[in-house]
Amino acid sequence: MRIGIMSDTHDRVPAIADLLDRFASKGIAMVMHAGDYCSPFSLAPFHQMGMALLGVLGRNDGDRESLSAYAARGMGTEIYESPHSFDVGGKRVLIVHDIVEVSGRSIESHDFVIHGSSHLQSTKKVGSTLVINPGEACGWIHGKCTAVILDTDTGEVENITL
């Protein structure tokens, strides 16, 4: 199964929409988000495109209640407190905003760990676990809007940069 991964969108709606378009053009129908949407309106592109979203809240998500309520309006849009585990395509996936929120043991008990917070794109192995930071979808700090496509069957990662 191929999924889109993003984090740290920080209200930059045009970049969110462009990344979702890129995902859709590659046959991606679901995105995992590691938090820092910021405002509920940043979920609008997901709803408009009918893109499924599984995510967690981040440290800069101010009105968590409104974000969760707005997410609930979209089909297949779910946002949880960080960290949160999901089973996707027979694989265990942990999404956490800041990787320091979880222990090494928790990391190693998952096939994939997705995190954000640092705004730096990276992929590394911790034991048999693939740990992925898609970077910053907003591009505010480093000047590049980044995301990742993950094939959960092969573990192949494709970096996306706008």
Side-chain angles (χ1 to χ4, degrees), residues 56-122:
V56 296
L57 294 164
R59 155 177 340 107
N60 289 299
D61 292 321
D63 187 350
R64 293 166 176 258
E65 211 170 280
S66 291
L67 266 164
S68 295
Y70 193 100
R73 286 194 262 166
M75 295 267 304
T77 305
E78 301 176 31
I79 299 176
Y80 300 92
E81 290 293 330
S82 179
H84 195 84
S85 285
F86 299 91
D87 285 324
V88 177
K91 303 290 183 174
R92 288 185 38 93
V93 180
L94 177 68
I95 305 178
V96 58
H97 181 62
D98 190 338
I99 196 74
V100 301
E101 295 176 44
V102 294
S103 69
R105 197 165 122 186
S106 186
I107 290 170
E108 291 176 6
S109 69
H110 291 82
D111 297 297
F112 304 101
V113 174
I114 297 165
H115 70 98
S117 183
S118 72
H119 292 235
L120 296 171
Q121 195 173 55
S122 67

Side-chain angles (χ1 to χ4, degrees), residues 6-22:
M6 65 172 64
S7 184
D8 298 286
T9 47
H10 290 275
D11 291 343
R12 193 162 184 192
V13 173
I16 298 166
D18 288 348
L19 286 167
L20 292 180
D21 282 340
R22 183 79 62 93

Side-chain angles (χ1 to χ4, degrees), residues 123-147:
T123 302
K124 66 181 179 182
K125 282 286 235 183
V126 174
S128 62
T129 304
L130 190 61
V131 179
I132 302 166
N133 183 335
E136 59 175 1
C138 65
W140 295 131
I141 295 176
H142 301 290
K144 293 180 183 175
C145 302
T146 61

